[in-house]
Amino acid sequence: MNSALTLPGMCWPLHATVGNIAVTTSTMSGHFRAGAGCDGLVLCDLLPAGKFRNGAVRHWCRTHQCYWGTKADLADFAASQQMRCKQHASPMGYMLYPDVLDVSDYHAITLDYLDDGTLRLQAKANNGGTLLVRDVSALAIDSRSLPGLFHPSIVQINITPPAALAYVAALRSGVALGCIDCPRCAHPHLDLGDFALSPHRRHLCGHCGYDAVHGVAACVSTPLQRLRDHALRKPGHIKHWF
Ligand SMILES: [Zn+2]
Ligand SMILES: [Zn+2]
Ligand SMILES: [Zn+2]
C-alpha cells in the first residue's frame, strides 16, 4: 500500500460506544480515496494506558478506540514488526478538509440537526453581519475561540456524524446529560450509540483509555452538552444548539 498521507480532517469508528472528538490536532494520517467516505484506513495512535486485569501492560488506540496488548496483539507485533491494534484494518468514516468554525467571528449562531443527518449551520459574521449558511455532514468547532471551556491542549471539537446522532438521540430521549472530564487526561468524555441512551457512572475515556472515569451522578456525557451550556449562558452568541 502507498504511504499514508497526513491531512486536515476527522475520522470516526463506524461502530463505537465511546469516541475521541476533542482533538489535539486538526490532522489525521491514513489512506483516503475521496474527500469523505466510510472506507478510510487510518493509522493507529497508541499510547500507554496502564495494565490489563492480568497485569499485562496495555496501550489505548485513540484512532480505533480499543486496547492493545493481548497475546494476539503481541503475536501480530512479532510477525509484522508493527505496533497496531486489532482494528487497524477496519474501515472508518472520515471527512477531509472539514469546515472549522471559529465561533469568535460570529454571533446569533444556530446549529440544527436535520432528519437526514445534515448539520445546518447559520451564523452572522461579527464583521459586516454577513449570514453564513452551511449544510454539512460533519463540522469542527475551533475550541481555542472558547477559552476556559475545554483543556487548553484541545484545538477543536469534531462534530462527527455519530457524535451528532448520539447527542440528538440523547436529547430526544430526555436522559440526564452532562460533560465529564477525565481525571487522567482532562479530556471531555463522549458517549456514543447505546451508551448515549443509558446514563452510567463509570466511563471509559476515549482519549487516554482510562477506564475508571467516575461521574458524581449517572449521566450520558458529551462535549456537545458543554457547548450547549455555553449557548444557554450566552444566547446572543449561540442562539440554538441542536
Ligand atoms: Zn488502532
Ligand atoms: Zn460514558
Ligand atoms: Zn483520559
Side-chain angles (χ1 to χ4, degrees):
M1 190 179 272
N2 297 331
S3 56
L5 292 174
T6 297
L7 296 166
M10 61 172 90
C11 61
W12 53 90
L14 296 177
H15 307 285
T17 50
V18 290
N20 177 42
I21 61 167
V23 293
T24 54
T25 169
S26 58
T27 62
M28 58 181 181
S29 300
H31 306 271
F32 311 101
R33 290 204 284 201
C38 292
D39 60 353
L41 293 177
V42 189
L43 300 190
C44 291
D45 181 7
L46 288 153
L47 67 155
K51 291 176 175 174
F52 288 110
R53 243 177 242 167
N54 66 8
V57 170
R58 71 183 181 186
H59 284 65
W60 175 251
C61 181
R62 219 170 247 170
T63 304
H64 301 101
Q65 301 285 296
C66 63
Y67 290 113
W68 180 94
T70 63
K71 279 184 183 160
D73 294 330
L74 295 170
D76 176 69
F77 181 52
S80 70
Q81 291 300 303
Q82 288 182 65
M83 197 170 159
R84 57 191 191 185
C85 79
K86 61 181 183 285
Q87 301 291 350
H88 72 275
S90 297
M92 297 187 75
Y94 68 94
M95 177 183 276
L96 300 175
Y97 300 99
D99 284 283
V100 182
L101 181 71
D102 181 342
V103 292
S104 65
D105 287 342
Y106 296 91
H107 63 280
I109 298 165
T110 70
L111 187 64
D112 285 293
Y113 186 82
L114 309 186
D115 286 343
D116 65 355
T118 299
L119 294 167
R120 175 162 293 167
L121 169 71
Q122 299 186 69
K124 283 186 187 156
N126 293 339
N127 194 352
T130 313
L131 185 65
L132 171 80
V133 182
R134 301 283 289 136
D135 278 357
V136 291
S137 58
L139 175 71
I141 305 294
D142 183 341
S143 53
R144 290 167 300 189
S145 59
L146 291 162
L149 225 48
F150 297 102
H151 188 270
S153 68
I154 297 167
V155 300
Q156 65 193 37
I157 306 296
N158 291 335
I159 308 179
T160 62
L165 177 69
Y167 186 49
V168 170
L171 279 174
R172 288 181 185 163
S173 73
V175 295
L177 273 157
C179 182
I180 297 171
D181 286 333
C182 171
R184 286 269 166 92
C185 72
H187 276 238
H189 172 63
L190 171 70
D191 286 309
L192 294 172
D194 291 346
F195 279 35
L197 292 173
S198 40
H200 46 282
R201 268 202 69 206
R202 182 175 173 156
H203 308 265
L204 163 63
C205 177
H207 188 73
C208 75
Y210 184 52
D211 58 2
V213 180
H214 282 95
V216 177
C219 78
V220 167
S221 173
T222 166
L224 299 180
Q225 179 67 12
R226 187 167 296 159
L227 290 166
R228 180 186 203 79
D229 290 339
H230 170 82
L232 293 173
R233 284 194 305 271
K234 300 198 171 170
H237 187 209
I238 301 180
K239 202 161 78 178
H240 178 75
W241 188 254
F242 286 89

